[in-house]
Amino acid sequence: MKMMNDLNLTKNFSLREMTRSDTASRLGLPNVPNEEQVKNLKNLCETILQPLRDHVRVPVMVNSGFRSEAVNKAVGGVWNSQHLTGEAADIRASNWNFKSKTQKLETIIQWACWIMEHCPYDQLIIEDNGADVWIHVSCKMNSNENRRLISTVIKR
């Protein structure tokens, strides 16, 4: 019998990948979604992450998908984070041979533009912490509820 963690949400995204957390592992915190949260993760993968992966034809790395309340608190997430409901993921263009942070940022911006044009997103945030750049992207199960918010966050 297949463990819930081994569940494939789409061709290229698994529940294990969407719930993996270095913080949870390091602190011994549970990070297990309920049935509704798994449905939201599957929706996120089907409507945004897999279409993006199919378009760019390279792995889309997930920094953070689902977060339990304890994990969200430990990473300093906001109280109403869509990571808590399984509606959000932080994705990055990492493990590639970028010659500069500018190259990485250009790729992230291309990905964000593609998502804006082709996917029913709720929030799309380009985040930069000085060392890395990534996209926070979310979507609602009911696409009519998506607000299509776009912003940037720079943490230095």
Side-chain angles (χ1 to χ4, degrees):
M1 182 173 167
K2 206 173 199 186
M3 299 292 292
M4 185 170 144
N5 239 4
D6 294 334
L7 179 69
N8 286 327
L9 301 173
T10 62
K11 177 175 65 173
N12 295 107
F13 294 92
S14 68
L15 184 59
R16 178 182 308 276
E17 179 178 16
M18 297 301 294
T19 58
R20 184 194 60 75
S21 168
D22 292 340
T23 300
S25 296
R26 188 177 68 252
L27 299 176
L29 299 172
N31 199 45
V32 180
N34 63 32
E35 189 175 322
E36 181 179 345
Q37 292 158 332
V38 171
K39 285 180 185 176
N40 288 337
L41 287 167
K42 184 170 178 55
N43 180 60
L44 176 65
C45 291
E46 288 175 343
T47 61
I48 296 179
L49 301 185
Q50 189 64 52
L52 176 64
R53 168 68 171 84
D54 292 344
H55 173 71
V56 298
R57 295 184 178 163
V58 295
V60 173
M61 308 304 289
V62 177
N63 287 348
S64 180
F66 171 77
R67 294 183 198 149
S68 67
E69 287 188 32
V71 172
N72 192 58
K73 184 176 181 180
V75 300
V78 296
W79 67 272
N80 61 346
S81 171
Q82 286 179 286
H83 289 280
L84 293 164
T85 59
E87 296 174 322
D90 296 340
I91 58 174
R92 71 186 193 278
S94 231
N95 301 329
W96 299 353
N97 293 322
F98 290 110
K99 291 183 172 67
S100 67
K101 186 176 169 190
T102 301
Q103 268 190 331
K104 187 182 281 190
L105 181 58
E106 286 171 355
T107 298
I108 288 294
I109 290 170
Q110 288 172 1
W111 287 15
C113 289
W114 191 88
I115 292 168
M116 287 187 293
E117 293 174 12
H118 297 93
C119 300
Y121 67 92
D122 183 55
Q123 284 189 311
L124 185 64
I125 305 170
I126 296 175
E127 299 193 56
D128 179 343
N129 68 1
D132 203 1
V133 200
W134 65 93
I135 298 172
H136 168 94
V137 64
S138 68
C139 70
K140 302 279 189 179
M141 184 66 75
N142 178 349
S143 62
N144 293 329
E145 295 177 4
N146 287 327
R147 301 167 290 173
R148 298 185 66 83
L149 300 174
I150 302 167
S151 63
T152 57
V153 175
I154 299 174
K155 305 171 192 170
R156 299 271 163 97

